Amino acid sequence: MIQPLLFAQSKGMVSIKGSRYIPLYGRDSTVVEVKNFEIDIYPVTNADFVSFVKKYPKWQKSKVIKLFADKSYLTNWKNDLQLKDSEKPDSPVTYISWFAAKDYCECQGKRLPTIDEWEYVAMADETTKDARVKASYNKQILAWYEAPRSNENKIGEHPKNVWGVHDLHGLVWEWTLDFNSVLITGESRKDGDKDSNLFCGSAAVNATDLMNYAAFMRYAIRGSLKAKYSMKNLGFRCVKDSDLK
Amino acid sequence: MKFLKYIAIVLIVVLSVLSCNSGNKSKDNTSEVYQCPMQCEGDKIYDETGNCPVCKMDLALVENNLKTVDDGSISEASIFNLTSNWHTEEGKTIQLENLKGKTLVMVMIYTSCKAACPRLVADMRNIEAQIPDEKIKNIQFVMVSIDPETDTPEKLKAFAKENVMDDDQWTFLQGSVSGVREFANVLSVKYKEISPVDFSHSNIISIFNSQGELIHQQEGLGVNNKETIETILKITP
């Protein structure tokens, strides 16, 4: 079921045809343009990351420097090279800092997706490129958001979306290249506490429709992150610029 | 109701993320002690890095202990661990480590900014003006562009001249898009391109010791810079 797709543009990736769309929060909250790019079909897995740290020891749990990761980095690993017995190799990797995710992608000749790119691919459902107006799309995302410990599930168990991409919703939230551009409450770290108030409280509950609510959750959590944080339900996948013009 | 349940879970996750951060400790130097840079709780010290429970600022290494890293190598928390290349306004290519040895006063700006950056530039100049001459040679004031595509070394040089910031103690840096994003993340500066010529961004002036460790951050525009100056004087020979 989750064999690599050899016929994709690059191995394990699919091509996304760019376009203009209106994200929940964008440049001026208006239309943004997304260029053609390729995206990983699945989030990066535990097994992928094991191979990575074997090759790049600076990202091993005991070697990573504190500029780049907090102490919960890879906390679900037994040691530098092994997951805890409770973890599955084909679950998405989590407890990863932005620095580690960024370097992982760059070492594969890829990069992290921008928020706009990520949201663009993630607004599709199984049949429609922009499914945000469908009640079913939003209900499904919110049901996933409610499911406990979804990060422990395997990749690829949810149906792929119309682009052929799996698990954008339903397993883990994902790092984006420019997560630090979310300025929902104004700006800066002093808003740290306000972010969590906003995130957990009134503003979100008052969102007028489900589309805004689900997307709001993602923007809010991005705004509350620092690059060295690592958390249980935050993984990543990579993209690269497309050769197709 | 479903939402409330979810919100509760999120609250727990967010709190645990925040608390994890406060438990971050040095692996190899147990003698380090930390203090709130604002000294909100007087002289109270902490054994671990984290946030001040009162003002929420990052705790800073207490000065006496900084000497422990004066052996040529750099610590885990040093920004000199960043290896991206930067261009100066003089057209030189450097890495941040080339700035080692001086106290660094750093801010992120962009030259076409009309709103906040002139204030930030003024704040930087104001800080510089309050430092005694004999210390200036041990301090580098660094302006990092968040718009590296526009702010070429030539443009930065012109900006430096225009703002009378062309002396040796001033350095302007142009990085790669990815290098700038990474640097901003180390400073916890947020920025966002809001149109082809405008960025919104946090207004933070950061002080690093000569080993590249973050000691103090001043946040906001035109704020009282007393603490910032005291910090600089304290850590600069």
Side-chain angles (χ1 to χ4, degrees):
Chain A
M1 176 178 53
I2 53 165
Q3 295 306 305
L5 301 185
L6 298 171
F7 306 108
Q9 175 95 37
S10 301
K11 195 179 167 203
M13 302 184 90
V14 288
S15 294
I16 305 295
K17 174 109 184 79
S19 180
R20 292 162 164 273
Y21 81 109
I22 301 179
L24 180 56
Y25 294 97
R27 250 191 196 189
D28 299 330
S29 292
T30 56
V31 174
V32 300
E33 187 182 354
V34 170
K35 297 208 167 76
N36 294 343
F37 63 104
E38 295 176 48
I39 189 167
D40 287 351
I41 296 168
Y42 304 106
V44 173
T45 64
N46 282 324
D48 294 333
F49 211 76
V50 169
S51 318
F52 174 69
V53 299
K54 279 183 183 160
K55 210 167 157 194
Y56 300 96
K58 74 180 260 204
W59 293 112
Q60 287 169 11
K61 183 176 161 158
S62 72
K63 302 206 174 74
V64 72
I65 63 170
K66 60 186 177 188
L67 190 67
F68 294 149
D70 66 10
K71 70 162 189 177
S72 55
Y73 179 74
L74 298 182
T75 198
N76 57 337
W77 291 39
K78 213 179 335 189
N79 53 41
D80 279 348
L81 298 175
Q82 285 178 297
L83 302 165
K84 284 188 179 155
D85 296 334
S86 55
E87 307 294 317
K88 301 182 198 80
D90 48 6
S91 294
V93 69
T94 57
Y95 294 110
I96 289 289
S97 71
W98 177 87
F99 296 103
K102 173 176 181 278
D103 202 50
Y104 177 98
C105 292
E106 288 177 0
C107 288
Q108 332 274 323
K110 304 179 188 176
R111 60 176 170 80
L112 286 171
T114 63
I115 295 176
D116 289 335
E117 287 168 342
W118 195 97
E119 292 286 331
Y120 178 74
V121 184
M123 72 187 184
D125 70 1
E126 290 161 58
T127 53
T128 319
K129 285 180 180 170
D130 186 354
R132 293 178 296 175
V133 293
K134 292 189 194 170
S136 60
Y137 163 86
N138 296 296
K139 271 189 190 144
Q140 238 173 339
I141 294 178
L142 292 171
W144 286 331
Y145 280 6
E146 286 175 5
R149 309 192 342 162
S150 58
N151 59 300
E152 294 172 16
N153 295 333
K154 295 179 189 172
I155 60 163
E157 292 188 335
H158 296 296
K160 62 187 177 195
N161 74 12
V162 69
W163 296 105
V165 182
H166 282 275
D167 302 321
L168 288 160
H169 307 287
L171 279 187
V172 287
W173 280 333
E174 298 183 5
W175 280 112
T176 52
L177 186 63
D178 53 351
F179 79 93
N180 68 345
S181 69
V182 175
L183 300 163
I184 287 180
T185 63
E187 48 191 36
S188 82
R189 304 145 313 133
K190 260 193 196 137
D191 290 344
D193 290 341
K194 288 191 205 115
D195 275 353
S196 50
N197 290 340
L198 181 60
F199 185 46
C200 303
S202 53
V205 181
N206 289 339
T208 48
D209 67 46
L210 292 172
M211 162 187 154
N212 286 345
Y213 183 78
F216 181 89
M217 296 302 285
R218 294 192 296 273
Y219 282 90
I221 195 159
R222 286 175 195 132
S224 72
L225 294 169
K226 286 190 186 184
K228 69 174 181 178
Y229 284 1
S230 50
M231 51 189 266
K232 177 183 177 166
N233 51 2
L234 182 62
F236 71 101
R237 74 179 72 213
C238 311
V239 301
K240 63 182 183 187
D241 296 328
S242 177
D243 299 332
L244 300 174
K245 292 297 166 207
Chain B
M1 270 308 136
K2 283 167 161 186
F3 289 175
L4 289 179
K5 182 176 133 207
Y6 179 63
I7 285 162
I9 292 168
V10 165
L11 178 60
I12 291 161
V13 168
V14 168
L15 287 177
S16 69
V17 167
L18 295 175
S19 62
C20 289
N21 191 43
S22 64
N24 210 351
K25 72 177 116 181
S26 162
K27 287 168 194 155
D28 45 19
N29 191 343
T30 48
S31 70
E32 287 176 349
V33 292
Y34 299 86
Q35 196 172 42
C36 171
M38 312 291 286
Q39 300 193 321
C40 288
E41 298 185 286
D43 290 326
K44 183 168 177 185
I45 55 168
Y46 298 82
D47 290 329
E48 299 181 343
T49 56
N51 300 320
C52 168
V54 180
C55 72
K56 313 293 184 204
M57 286 187 69
D58 288 345
L59 297 177
L61 259 183
V62 173
E63 189 199 351
N64 301 346
N65 295 273
L66 297 176
K67 306 279 188 288
T68 57
V69 291
D70 252 0
D71 61 354
S73 64
I74 51 170
S75 78
E76 283 192 23
S78 171
I79 49 163
F80 302 147
N81 289 297
L82 300 176
T83 53
S84 44
N85 286 325
W86 300 80
H87 303 291
T88 72
E89 85 284 5
E90 305 294 344
K92 276 188 248 161
T93 302
I94 65 164
Q95 295 194 343
L96 292 178
E97 195 169 359
N98 296 115
L99 302 170
K100 189 171 156 187
K102 290 188 178 187
T103 300
L104 302 176
V105 183
M106 303 183 95
V107 69
M108 301 189 81
I109 54 142
Y110 63 106
T111 62
S112 35
C113 172
K114 296 287 180 287
C117 300
R119 264 330 301 248
L120 280 176
V121 169
D123 283 344
M124 287 287 276
R125 275 225 295 251
N126 189 275
I127 291 168
E128 194 247 11
Q130 294 182 58
I131 308 287
D133 286 349
E134 71 271 16
K135 291 213 183 222
I136 287 284
K137 64 178 190 308
N138 293 323
I139 304 173
Q140 201 68 42
F141 296 86
V142 184
M143 325 283 274
V144 177
S145 171
I146 55 173
D147 186 9
E149 281 163 2
T150 309
D151 287 337
T152 58
E154 296 73 31
K155 215 160 188 168
L156 293 171
K157 176 77 178 175
F159 184 86
K161 281 188 168 161
E162 206 175 294
N163 288 278
V164 204
M165 299 167 100
D166 200 23
D167 293 337
D168 287 347
Q169 70 266 35
W170 298 102
T171 299
F172 290 75
L173 295 181
Q174 175 207 31
S176 62
V177 171
S178 148
V180 171
R181 185 64 72 184
E182 183 177 67
F183 182 72
N185 275 330
V186 166
L187 298 187
S188 303
V189 167
K190 294 180 184 292
Y191 67 98
K192 174 182 183 170
E193 195 177 356
I194 50 176
S195 79
V197 292
D198 279 314
F199 290 78
S200 62
H201 58 100
S202 316
N203 300 304
I204 300 179
I205 293 176
S206 304
I207 313 296
F208 297 85
N209 67 16
S210 59
Q211 297 299 313
E213 292 156 330
L214 185 60
I215 301 296
H216 179 79
Q217 290 192 304
Q218 161 181 319
E219 193 167 338
L221 285 176
V223 298
N224 183 337
N225 50 28
K226 184 167 161 268
E227 303 283 348
T228 305
I229 289 169
E230 279 173 7
T231 308
I232 296 172
L233 294 178
K234 204 157 71 171
I235 64 171
T236 308

